[in-house]
């Protein structure tokens, strides 16, 4: 019997990607509380809610009674200038590529690069690309990532090994979006 819909997390931006085992990786930016009547007292300061995090990456699951749980992989404190913007989970469900950046004093986000980390708490991130990157996508074998990099007026497609080596520009001078590996490119 299908489970009824249930909110598991709320934020200004929430992204979910389902893992092979049915759990999901959740990216939450701009964490928000749901029902104001259920905010724990420790997160109320001067009569206003204070979120415990600004953004985070968590593994979400739901038990047989439709009760959600969140296991944090990495979270940033409410006053952090660092941000997470996009995620892409590896085909085997063991790693996640994360587009990272910073926000300025007005809260405007600027992308700084992309990291790869294991989906376990305390896993150190490994920088695999720098600059204004977006839209990461894994190769079917999980050995490479393809993504967009903005340079000036161009948004071109780049590829990099999952360990950060061998970055290569695949297009030049375009307006590309949402790159994916095709079967013809899987072994190249």
């Amino acid at each position: 019997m299908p489970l009824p819909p249930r909110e598991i997390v709320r934020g200004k931006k929430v992204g979910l990607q389902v893992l092979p085992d049915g759990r999901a990786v959740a990216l939450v930016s701009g964490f928000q509380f749901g029902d104001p009547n259920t905010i724990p007292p420790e997160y109320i300061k001067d009569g206003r809610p204070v979120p415990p995090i600004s953004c985070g990456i968590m593994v979400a699951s739901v038990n047989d009674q439709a009760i959600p749980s969140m296991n944090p992989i990495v979270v940033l404190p409410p006053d952090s200038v660092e941000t997470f913007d996009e995620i892409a989970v590896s085909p085997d469900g063991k790693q996640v590529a994360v587009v990272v950046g910073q926000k300025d004093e007005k809260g405007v986000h600027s992308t700084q690069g992309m990291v790869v980390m294991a989906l376990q708490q305390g896993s150190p991130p490994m920088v695999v690309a720098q600059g204004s990157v977006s839209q990461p996508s894994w190769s079917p074998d999980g050995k490479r990532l393809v993504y967009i990099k903005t340079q000036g007026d161009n948004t071109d497609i780049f590829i990099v090994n999952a360990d950060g080596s061998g970055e290569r520009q695949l297009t030049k001078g375009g307006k590309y979006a949402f790159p994916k590996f095709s079967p013809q490119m899987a072994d190249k």
Side-chain angles (χ1 to χ4, degrees), residues 1-178:
M1 177 163 91
L3 298 173
R6 185 166 205 174
E7 181 177 78
I8 57 173
V9 69
R10 183 181 291 194
K12 290 180 181 175
K13 181 176 184 177
V14 175
L16 289 174
Q17 288 199 357
V18 178
L19 294 170
D21 64 7
R23 296 174 304 147
V25 176
L27 163 73
V28 181
S29 290
F31 176 89
Q32 298 173 341
F33 287 107
D35 180 356
N37 297 318
T38 62
I39 299 173
E42 64 267 26
Y43 299 115
I44 304 288
K45 305 284 188 235
D46 299 323
R48 299 181 58 138
V50 177
I53 66 171
S54 65
C55 57
I57 298 169
M58 300 160 224
V59 175
S61 60
V62 178
N63 68 16
D64 294 340
Q65 289 77 41
I67 298 172
S69 67
M70 300 292 272
N71 179 28
I73 302 303
V74 62
V75 295
L76 299 176
D79 58 351
S80 178
V81 296
E82 296 172 320
T83 61
F84 302 140
D85 193 42
E86 298 175 63
I87 57 171
V89 176
S90 64
D92 65 4
K94 294 181 180 179
Q95 297 184 93
V96 62
V98 184
V99 175
V100 296
Q102 292 186 336
K103 58 185 173 186
D104 64 18
E105 61 280 347
K106 294 179 183 175
V108 177
H109 170 82
S110 65
T111 302
Q112 306 292 312
M114 181 171 52
V115 300
V116 169
M117 65 179 75
L119 279 175
Q120 56 191 19
Q121 192 170 16
S123 172
M126 176 178 44
V127 176
V128 297
Q130 295 182 346
S132 184
V133 302
S134 62
Q135 305 166 11
S137 181
W138 288 87
S139 63
D141 62 7
K143 293 181 179 178
R144 295 172 292 162
L145 287 148
V146 65
Y147 54 94
I148 295 296
K149 184 182 271 190
T150 301
Q151 299 173 317
D153 291 335
N154 297 318
T155 53
D156 285 303
I157 300 172
F158 282 71
I159 189 170
V160 69
N161 294 326
D163 65 3
S165 67
E167 182 183 57
R168 212 167 26 113
Q169 186 171 350
L170 299 179
T171 63
K172 189 161 181 74
K175 299 281 184 201
Y176 296 92
F178 304 105

